[in-house]
Amino acid sequence: MADSIEQKIIAAIVERLGAIDGTGDYQTEIGARVEDSRANWDESEMPAISVFQGTATTVKVDDEESMVLRKFGVIIRCVFKSDDDAGTDAAYARKTISDIYRAIRLDRHWRTDIDDPRTALAYMTKEVSHGIEYVPNTYEISGTQTEIEVSYFGTNFDMEA
C-alpha cells in the first residue's frame, strides 16, 4: 500500500531539515538528528528536531466535491542544550529558526524531484509562527518552535491521490 501524501510531505520535511548541518548558508548544525513525532530527546542527543503534524482541514474545490484542498499545520520543534550565557542561547535559537526557514524556502512545494515541477507534493507552504521555548517557570531557553501550514490538492476520501 502506498504512503499517504501527508506521510510523503512529512518525510520530505524531515529529510530537508536533516540537511541543516552548519555548512553553506546554514548557521547551525540543528539538523544532526531529525525525527517524525519524537516527543522527547535525551540531552546527549541534542541538538535535535522533532516534526509534528497538526489537524488537517478540508475544503471542497468543485461542486461534485470530488476534488479537495487539504491544509495541515506542521510544528517543527528544536531542542538544544543551554549555554551558561542567555544571550548566546537566544542568538543560537534565532539562528535555528533562520536555518529552518532557509531549508523550507528551497522548495515550498516539496517536490520529490527538485527539477521537475510535476513531482510537487504540496500546493503551498505558508509561514504561521515561530518562537523561542523556555523551561517552565524560568526564562532558561530550551529550544524553538516553528509552525508552518502545508496545503495540497487531493481527491475526496483518497489520501494517496
Side-chain angles (χ1 to χ4, degrees), residues 97-105 127 129-130 146-148:
I97 294 167
S98 176
D99 280 351
I100 290 167
Y101 280 174
R102 179 172 280 108
I104 291 169
R105 75 174 176 253
E127 176 180 336
S129 66
H130 64 269
T146 304
E147 186 174 358
I148 60 175

Side-chain angles (χ1 to χ4, degrees), residues 74-76 93-98 100-101 127-133 143-148:
V74 176
I75 296 170
I76 301 165
R94 293 181 193 107
K95 287 177 183 180
T96 67
I97 294 167
S98 176
I100 290 167
Y101 280 174
E127 176 180 336
V128 176
S129 66
H130 64 269
I132 296 174
E133 289 190 335
T144 63
Q145 184 167 300
T146 304
E147 186 174 358
I148 60 175

